[in-house]
């Protein structure tokens, strides 16, 4: 437990922020349960990565990664960095200046709209002023969000500060506001009026705008983790009103609005930003594009290096095929992906580019439709066209980075992903250890799972020796599926009358809701209709 003397000192350091509330006691009680700061337990990595930040806020990007994402996205949207004015709405706390500096280095300068906790207290007037400063023929980027500290022990809501033996709340304004709304919710305090004086007005507004989220914060497993999400929601609503009212002040350009959570880390580490929204508006306030359809999930690259987002994958497939004379308008896609509903987004992405897809897949992604299904698909290829077969097992990576499981819609607990694959790994392990005998082909009622088990059996020893079986499992399944897919092409390639056969194999990676799925390409080969290898592609 943190000593009360330290708690009271922390409250005093919040100054007016804590003083705007009817009672400091409730705030002290809220902080009292927090353990005293512990000695740093992490070391600085060469790239500035700070694991606890990503563990606490999955999907968070280092500032440098964020800048790359933002500049690449805006470049694709037709932005000219030399004609772009960046406006920021971040908390006045000095720990938030690094991101502003990074944005300034990319867009020449930044207009500051933010105040306590990151709320855009400059309001509609400051947005109008900023709009009048946009270079002729240019557009603007508005980046906003609350901030939260994650200290060297991984504790959320505090961070070590330069020259201070003890750190402190981060964000102090936010923590104070959460104490206020908790008091109002419990009846220990009355809802305060907004003061008609600038002395404490900003903090009063922070508390007032956080009040609708009071119950949500009290019900959270970790209030300090939930707090910045609640503040983000309040700020997004505020930003939305500003853009709605003042978008016309932007003469002839567009308005890109990036919202998320800043994550402050100990000295020597990179700060992070968790993007939660990234939208493009016209100067009439119309939503032109939602850039967050493909929100990245950084844990995937840590586990499966080289994985591409679905959007990146489809773009690379089409570019590669076009470079080799294959017209997507005359190409039929055949997919062999697991029947699990989490795999439909990739099929939809492929269908959106190639008009439709023929489904060859069954449990665990095995092409159980076999040679007959491939032959039927070949008979459906547009005249003078070709086909591309996309196959592979899938694996989940949940919000904590666990492999082989993923959160599922409407379920408090997630579950195995891929369930068929995990079940098969258990069967082949038992057979390998001599604990069970290989089964004989069952009745059709469960024949597919039998074939999954049988195809995986040659890889049993490899799986047993793996450092991380759930990571190795999809690679083993890919190898088993590649063997079957090769035999299918050899048996049925002649069904493709006069076109080519592109075969892409890899591992599909499912992520938590709100993030893009990924695909790790492991092979991409082009065959003629005699099953002769024409070319190997590198994605």
């Amino acid at each position: 437990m943190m000593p009360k003397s330290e708690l009271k000192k922390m409250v005093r350091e919040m100054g007016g922020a804590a003083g705007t509330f009817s009672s400091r006691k409730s705030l002290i009680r809220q902080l009292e349960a927090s353990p005293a700061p512990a000695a740093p337990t992490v070391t600085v990595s060469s790239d500035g990565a700070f694991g606890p930040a990503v563990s606490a806020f999955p999907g968070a990007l280092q500032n440098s990664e964020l800048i790359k994402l933002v500049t690449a996205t805006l470049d694709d949207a037709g932005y000219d960095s030399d004609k772009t004015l960046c406006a920021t709405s971040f908390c006045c706390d000095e720990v938030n200046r690094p991101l502003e500096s990074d944005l300034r280095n990319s867009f020449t300068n930044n207009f500051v709209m933010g105040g306590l906790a990151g709320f855009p207290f400059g309001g509609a007037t400051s947005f109008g002023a900023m709009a009048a400063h946009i270079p002729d023929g240019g557009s603007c980027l508005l980046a906003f969000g609350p901030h939260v500290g994650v200290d060297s022990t991984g504790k959320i809501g505090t961070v070590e500060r330069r020259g201070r033996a003890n750190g402190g709340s981060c964000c102090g304004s936010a923590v104070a506001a959460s104490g206020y709304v908790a008091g109002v919710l419990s009846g220990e305090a009355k809802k305060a009026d907004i003061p008609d004086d600038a002395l404490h007005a900003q903090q009063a507004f922070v508390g007032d705008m956080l009040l609708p989220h009071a119950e949500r914060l009290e019900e959270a497993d970790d209030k300090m983790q939930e707090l910045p999400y609640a503040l983000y929601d309040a700020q997004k609503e505020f930003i939305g009103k500003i853009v709605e009212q003042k978008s016309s002040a932007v003469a002839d350009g567009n308005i890109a609005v990036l919202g998320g959570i800043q994550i402050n880390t100990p000295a020597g580490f990179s700060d992070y930003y968790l993007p939660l929204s990234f939208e493009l508006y016209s100067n009439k306030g119309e939503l032109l594009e939602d850039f967050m359809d493909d929100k990245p999930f950084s844990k995937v690259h840590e586990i499966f290096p080289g994985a591409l987002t679905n959007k990146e994958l489809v773009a690379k497939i089409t570019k590669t095929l076009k470079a080799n004379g294959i017209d997507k308008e005359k190409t039929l896609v055949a997919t062999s992906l697991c029947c699990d509903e989490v795999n439909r987004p990739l099929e939809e992405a492929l269908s959106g580019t190639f008009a439709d897809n023929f489904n060859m897949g069954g449990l665990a992604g095995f092409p159980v439709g076999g040679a007959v299904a491939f032959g039927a698909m070949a008979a459906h290829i547009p005249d003078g066209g070709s086909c591309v077969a996309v196959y592979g097992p899938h694996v989940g990576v949940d919000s904590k980075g666990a492999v082989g499981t993923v959160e599922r819609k409407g379920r408090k607990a997630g579950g195995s992903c891929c369930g068929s694959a995990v079940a098969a790994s258990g069967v082949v392990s038992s057979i390998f250890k001599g604990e069970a005998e290989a089964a004989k082909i069952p009745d059709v009622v469960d024949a597919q799972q039998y074939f999954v088990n049988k195809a995986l059996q040659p890889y049993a020893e490899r799986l047993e020796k793996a450092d991380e079986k759930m990571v190795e499992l999809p690679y083993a399944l890919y190898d088993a599926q590649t063997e079957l897919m090769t035999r299918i092409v050899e048996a049925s390639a002649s069904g493709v009358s006069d076109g080519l056969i592109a075969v892409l194999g890899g591992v599909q990676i499912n992520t938590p809701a709100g993030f893009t799925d990924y695909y790790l390409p492991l092979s991409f080969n082009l065959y003629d209709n005699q099953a002769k290898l024409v070319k190997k592609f590198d994605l």
Side-chain angles (χ1 to χ4, degrees), residues 41-255:
T41 57
V42 291
T43 56
V44 180
S45 63
S46 59
D47 62 356
F50 186 63
V54 181
S55 296
F57 296 95
L61 305 174
Q62 290 187 37
N63 282 3
S64 60
E65 295 173 325
L66 177 74
I67 297 300
K68 290 177 182 177
L69 174 67
V70 170
T71 55
T73 301
L74 294 183
D75 183 62
D76 287 344
Y79 267 56
D80 180 348
S81 60
D82 292 332
K83 292 186 176 182
T84 300
L85 179 58
C86 179
T88 57
S89 183
F90 299 136
C91 182
C92 33
D93 191 323
E94 72 278 0
V95 296
N96 299 311
R97 302 293 74 81
L99 181 53
E100 281 188 339
S101 177
D102 290 337
L103 288 165
R104 187 162 56 245
N105 290 338
S106 296
F107 299 101
T108 307
N109 222 326
N110 74 288
F111 186 103
V112 179
M113 293 176 60
L116 289 176
F119 280 86
F121 284 118
T125 298
S126 70
F127 186 93
M130 178 275 297
H133 303 172
I134 296 172
D136 294 340
S139 297
C140 66
L141 164 66
L142 171 54
F144 75 93
H147 72 113
V148 62
V150 179
D151 72 11
S152 58
T153 69
K155 182 182 175 185
I156 302 170
T158 182
V159 75
E160 292 84 356
R161 292 181 181 271
R162 180 172 63 91
R164 296 181 65 86
N166 297 316
S169 294
C170 183
C171 164
S173 169
V175 172
S178 71
Y180 161 69
V181 303
V184 174
L185 181 67
S186 69
E188 296 178 16
K190 293 183 179 179
K191 184 180 183 301
D193 294 328
I194 302 298
D196 187 22
D197 187 315
L199 186 62
H200 292 310
Q202 276 198 12
Q203 184 61 32
F205 277 119
V206 173
D208 191 65
M209 285 186 280
L210 186 61
L211 199 53
H213 305 278
E215 188 172 350
R216 157 188 176 182
L217 291 173
E218 288 306 305
E219 293 176 352
D221 293 334
D222 186 332
K223 183 185 287 189
M224 288 300 101
Q225 187 175 37
E226 185 65 22
L227 178 57
Y229 286 100
L231 289 162
Y232 161 79
D233 287 340
Q235 290 177 22
K236 189 171 188 338
E237 181 180 359
F238 191 173
I239 289 284
K241 291 178 180 178
I242 292 172
V243 172
E244 182 180 0
Q245 287 185 28
K246 300 297 292 187
S247 59
S248 60
V250 178
D252 53 5
N254 291 325
I255 306 156

Side-chain angles (χ1 to χ4, degrees), residues 255-403:
I255 306 156
V257 183
L258 171 68
I261 297 170
Q262 274 201 88
I263 301 137
N264 312 116
T265 63
F269 295 95
S270 169
D271 281 349
Y272 285 74
Y273 185 93
L274 174 61
L276 295 172
S277 60
F278 195 8
E279 299 160 335
L280 185 67
Y281 294 88
S282 71
N283 61 357
K284 295 180 181 179
E286 302 164 324
L287 178 63
L288 300 176
E289 188 170 358
D290 183 352
F291 297 131
M292 291 299 288
D293 284 342
D294 292 285
K295 187 164 59 174
F297 188 56
S298 60
K299 290 183 185 295
V300 168
H301 285 139
E302 298 171 14
I303 303 163
F304 296 101
L308 303 173
T309 66
N310 284 358
K311 185 176 182 179
E312 292 171 334
L313 177 73
V314 173
K316 289 199 173 192
I317 292 173
T318 52
K319 182 178 180 180
T320 301
L321 295 180
K322 182 179 180 181
N324 287 271
I326 298 176
D327 181 359
K328 70 176 183 180
E329 300 301 328
K330 292 186 175 182
T331 299
L332 179 59
V333 172
T335 57
S336 183
L337 307 173
C338 182
C339 35
D340 191 322
E341 72 278 1
V342 295
N343 298 313
R344 301 294 75 80
L346 178 54
E347 285 185 339
E348 290 171 4
L350 289 165
S351 295
T353 299
F354 297 99
D356 218 336
N357 78 284
F358 186 104
N359 190 346
M360 293 175 59
L363 289 174
F366 276 84
V368 290
V372 172
F374 188 94
M377 178 276 300
H380 303 171
I381 296 171
D383 293 340
S386 298
C387 66
V388 54
V390 180
Y391 72 93
H394 72 112
V395 61
V397 178
D398 72 11
S399 58
K400 295 180 181 178
V403 181

Side-chain angles (χ1 to χ4, degrees), residues 408-419:
R408 293 181 180 271
K409 180 180 177 181
R411 294 181 64 87
K412 184 176 292 186
S416 294
C417 182
C418 165

Side-chain angles (χ1 to χ4, degrees), residues 435-452:
E435 299 170 352
E437 293 183 359
K440 294 181 179 180
I441 186 167
D443 183 84
V444 68
V445 74
D446 210 14
Q448 274 196 20
Q449 186 62 37
Y450 163 80
F451 286 121
V452 174

